[in-house]
């Protein structure tokens, strides 16, 4: 995780904590002040009714009573020999051990001996990882069972030609609804019936327990009227399956978030590439329309050595004119026609306008080669003729 992301997450958590503190203070502080005033009024009435008791003795008595209540003592029970209402009977001790390894820790019952506290340290260090392994296995098996059952429902929806996207949404909703029905709503009604709580108190206890918060103001099985020894162990097994269900839900949400994160990163990468390509195309078009870039003024130019002067381009090599094609058969000159006007460039190929003499010579060549597509090469000067040979006259040698 990046440092900026971590700092942003820390700031968000701190803001969440401050907002929660302000809300809880606004809601609970008036009730606390009212309870403190009522306690003060009760103390004054007791001191007026019993003037032989001093205020210090009364304060010491109240402190001892509160400590005894914190240790699990019941003020309505006077007999100390009745073990059925003891906090440390087998069922209650099993439930207390379960609250240690599940990290709930209600706090309504606390250890008072040094030996018990020392044993609790090692017991928690071994039991919490062991319970975590058990919780992962139960959550995996429970989630697989629920998903298998929901898979049959998905098959029915697909047979009804329901779109697959809608089927996925419906399966996720069914997974949440079935879990809430089994581990939230049903226990809520059970606690309302057994403990005598209101629906708000029961749902409050369920959520506080399954989120492992465990305030301890409401704990199942602490009512002295509830003397069934198997009640609290059954509550602990409900906690086990409820925590496994919530672990399965959190695992599913985590997998879904990872998939969404990967898809988002892939889509963002594609969008970034498309944006870069589009930006490059637009920049190239703007540069072509705007022409060459205007150099910065003298004050803004960087102090760099001047670039070396470009080397002059090499002189163009003129190709010699290709030799005219050889004419296999020389036709006699045709009478003058208007065909020479059709190819003025070919007829004027060897004209040099620098002198009249060559110009006249070119005109003569033009008349001699009139009617031909390409001019003949210039003739070589004739060799001087000597006396005729006798064979020229047809005489015998």
């Amino acid at each position: 995780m990046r440092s900026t992301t971590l700092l942003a997450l820390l700031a968000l958590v701190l803001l969440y904590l401050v907002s929660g503190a302000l809300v809880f203070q606004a809601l609970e502080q008036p009730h606390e002040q009212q309870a403190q005033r009522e306690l003060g009024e009760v103390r004054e009435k007791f001191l007026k009714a019993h003037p032989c008791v001093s205020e210090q003795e009364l304060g010491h008595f109240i402190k001892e009573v509160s400590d005894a209540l914190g240790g699990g003592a019941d003020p309505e029970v006077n007999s100390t020999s009745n073990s059925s209402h003891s906090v440390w009977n087998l069922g209650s001790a099993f439930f207390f051990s379960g609250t240690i390894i599940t990290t709930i820790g209600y706090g309504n019952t606390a250890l008072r001996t040094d030996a018990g506290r020392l044993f609790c340290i090692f017991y928690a260090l071994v039991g919490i990882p062991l319970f975590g392994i058990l919780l992962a296995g139960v959550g995996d098996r429970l989630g697989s069972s629920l998903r298998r059952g929901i898979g049959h429902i998905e098959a029915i929806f697909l047979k009804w030609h329901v779109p697959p996207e809608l089927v996925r949404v419906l399966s996720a909703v069914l997974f949440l609804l079935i879990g809430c029905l089994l581990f939230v709503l049903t226990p809520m009604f059970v606690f309302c019936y057994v403990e005598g709580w209101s629906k708000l108190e029961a749902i409050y206890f369920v959520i506080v327990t399954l989120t492992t918060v465990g305030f301890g103001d409401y704990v199942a099985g602490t009512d002295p009227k509830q003397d069934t020894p198997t009640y609290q162990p059954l509550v602990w097994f409900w906690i086990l399956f409820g925590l496994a269900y919530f672990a399965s839900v959190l695992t599913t949400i985590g997998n879904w978030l990872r998939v969404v994160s990967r898809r988002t990163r892939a889509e963002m990468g594609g969008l970034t590439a498309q944006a870069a390509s589009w930006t490059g195309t637009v920049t190239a078009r703007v540069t072509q329309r705007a022409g060459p870039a205007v150099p910065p003024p003298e004050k803004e130019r960087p102090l760099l050595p001047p670039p070396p002067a470009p080397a002059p381009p090499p002189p163009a090599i003129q190709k010699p004119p290709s030799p005219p094609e050889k004419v296999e058969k020389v036709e006699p000159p045709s009478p003058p026609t208007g065909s020479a006007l059709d190819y003025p460039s070919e007829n004027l190929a060897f004209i040099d306008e620098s002198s009249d003499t060559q110009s006249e010579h070119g005109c003569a060549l033009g008349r001699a080669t009139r009617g031909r597509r390409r001019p003949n090469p210039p003739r070589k000067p004739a060799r001087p003729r000597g006396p005729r040979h006798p064979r020229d006259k047809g005489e015998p040698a």
Side-chain angles (χ1 to χ4, degrees):
M1 185 179 293
R2 296 180 180 178
S3 301
T4 55
T5 306
L6 184 60
L7 291 176
L9 185 60
L10 177 61
L12 180 61
V13 171
L14 291 177
L15 180 62
Y16 192 75
L17 290 175
V18 171
S19 61
L22 293 175
V23 172
F24 288 132
Q25 182 183 16
L27 294 176
E28 298 296 330
Q29 193 174 26
H31 183 271
E32 177 194 4
Q33 294 174 354
Q34 180 66 25
Q36 191 68 33
R37 285 194 297 267
E38 291 178 356
L39 179 61
E41 293 176 358
V42 171
R43 291 179 63 180
E44 290 179 0
K45 289 181 180 179
F46 183 83
L47 291 174
K48 289 180 180 179
H50 303 83
C52 59
V53 180
S54 64
E55 186 174 355
Q56 291 79 9
E57 292 177 353
L58 180 60
H60 182 69
F61 175 76
I62 293 175
K63 185 177 182 303
E64 289 181 354
V65 170
S66 62
D67 292 340
L69 293 176
D74 188 5
E76 297 181 0
V77 178
N78 296 324
S79 176
T80 59
S81 61
N82 191 0
S83 61
S84 62
H85 296 285
S86 174
V87 177
W88 295 108
N89 58 20
L90 184 58
S92 299
F94 179 86
F95 185 74
F96 177 79
S97 300
T99 59
I100 293 175
I101 64 174
T102 56
T103 69
I104 295 176
Y106 288 109
N108 63 317
T109 303
L111 299 171
R112 299 296 178 181
T113 62
D114 294 339
R117 293 166 183 169
L118 182 62
F119 176 75
C120 181
I121 293 173
F122 296 99
Y123 187 79
L125 291 177
V126 177
I128 291 174
L130 185 63
F131 179 77
I133 298 172
L134 175 64
L135 188 64
V138 175
D140 188 15
R141 186 60 60 88
L142 183 62
S144 301
S145 301
L146 290 176
R147 283 190 290 269
R148 193 179 301 111
I150 293 173
H152 296 292
I153 302 175
E154 290 181 355
I156 296 174
F157 283 131
L158 292 175
K159 287 182 181 179
W160 293 346
H161 303 287
V162 180
E165 294 80 7
L166 184 59
V167 171
R168 294 192 189 96
V169 174
L170 291 175
S171 62
V173 172
L174 284 176
F175 183 78
L176 294 175
L177 289 179
I178 293 174
C180 291
L181 179 63
L182 290 177
F183 303 108
V184 177
L185 294 179
T186 302
M188 180 190 71
F189 289 106
V190 171
F191 291 134
C192 288
Y193 175 77
V194 175
E195 299 289 341
W197 296 337
S198 65
K199 292 183 176 59
L200 178 60
E201 293 172 343
I203 195 66
Y204 168 77
F205 169 74
V206 168
I207 298 302
V208 166
T209 299
L210 295 182
T211 54
T212 69
V213 176
F215 290 116
D217 49 353
Y218 289 91
V219 180
T222 56
D223 190 359
K225 297 178 182 180
Q226 185 57 250
D227 55 355
T228 306
T230 59
Y231 176 67
Q232 283 188 322
L234 291 176
V235 172
W236 184 84
F237 279 102
W238 161 72
I239 292 174
L240 171 63
F241 286 101
L243 291 177
Y245 166 73
F246 273 94
S248 177
V249 170
L250 292 177
T251 302
T252 305
I253 293 175
N255 295 334
W256 178 73
L257 289 177
R258 279 195 292 270
V259 172
V260 171
S261 177
R262 290 174 185 173
R263 290 182 180 178
T264 305
R265 270 183 265 173
E267 292 176 358
M268 290 301 295
L271 291 176
T272 305
Q274 292 179 2
S277 176
W278 179 79
T279 305
T281 304
V282 172
T283 305
R285 291 181 179 178
V286 171
T287 305
Q288 291 177 359
R289 292 180 180 179
V294 180
E298 295 295 335
K299 294 182 179 180
E300 298 181 1
R301 290 183 181 179
L303 299 177
L304 297 175
I317 300 175
Q318 298 180 356
K319 296 182 180 180
S322 59
E325 299 178 357
K326 294 182 180 181
V327 181
E328 297 180 357
K329 185 177 180 180
V330 179
E331 297 180 358
S334 58
T337 58
S339 62
L341 299 176
D342 297 336
Y343 304 95
S345 59
E346 295 182 1
N347 295 331
L348 301 178
F350 298 99
I351 292 178
D352 186 2
E353 298 179 355
S354 60
S355 61
D356 297 335
T357 305
Q358 292 181 357
S359 180
E360 294 176 0
H361 182 66
C363 293
L365 289 175
R367 286 192 298 270
T369 59
R370 184 174 298 171
R372 298 179 185 177
R373 297 182 64 86
R374 295 184 181 275
N376 294 328
R379 296 180 179 179
K380 297 182 180 180
R383 292 180 295 177
R385 294 183 179 182
R388 291 186 178 182
H389 200 271
R391 284 181 297 183
D392 296 337
K393 296 181 179 181
E395 298 178 357

